[in-house]
Amino acid sequence: MKDYKVDKAKFSVSFCQEVYQVVCDIPVGKVSTYGEIAALLGMPQCSRMVGRALKQVPEGISVPCHRVVNASGRLVPGWTEQKQLLLKEGISFKQNGCVDLKKHLWNYSASE
């Protein structure tokens, strides 16, 4: 695995705001991945930074973080409410417990 050199200064308030905006654009019944969001922001090597931004959403900001999963469709470990929130939105899961990305992955370019 390649070790990317990421300018930690880019992990700023503006980066977080961009992440939140993209996540807010994910429609009900769809999901995206950390990597897809990072790529959309022009930083494909920064999927972990996307996760970190979502982990620290400030109070008073409503961001549908439950609609973001890993590249396999796996949910956030320890966040039991995530699956319930996704089920309420009509998201289906495979037998292994992962989101069925073939059915529910958000295609950003198709929604523009």
Side-chain angles (χ1 to χ4, degrees):
M1 178 156 79
K2 185 173 181 179
D3 183 24
Y4 289 98
K5 299 284 185 204
V6 176
D7 180 4
K8 298 298 184 195
K10 287 189 177 180
F11 188 69
S12 62
V13 173
S14 62
F15 174 80
C16 292
Q17 292 298 326
E18 289 180 54
V19 169
Y20 304 153
Q21 183 57 55
V22 170
V23 174
C24 285
D25 288 344
I26 303 170
V28 173
K30 294 291 181 182
V31 298
S32 190
T33 67
Y34 302 102
E36 289 287 326
I37 294 168
L40 195 57
L41 296 177
M43 300 175 69
Q45 72 278 17
C46 295
S47 57
R48 288 179 188 252
M49 288 174 57
V50 170
R52 208 172 306 137
L54 293 175
K55 189 174 181 176
Q56 62 184 33
V57 175
E59 294 275 335
I61 297 178
S62 179
V63 180
C65 299
H66 64 284
R67 295 182 188 146
V68 183
V69 296
N70 82 356
S72 302
R74 191 169 51 94
L75 304 180
V76 176
W79 186 17
T80 55
E81 297 85 11
Q82 185 179 19
K83 185 170 186 174
Q84 295 308 312
L85 291 167
L86 291 172
L87 285 169
K88 285 180 185 177
E89 293 186 2
I91 300 292
S92 57
F93 292 82
K94 299 186 289 185
Q95 281 192 323
N96 66 2
C98 293
V99 170
D100 188 340
L101 293 177
K102 287 183 181 177
K103 289 183 182 177
H104 302 290
L105 187 63
W106 177 47
N107 182 351
Y108 180 81
S109 61
S111 63
E112 289 182 24

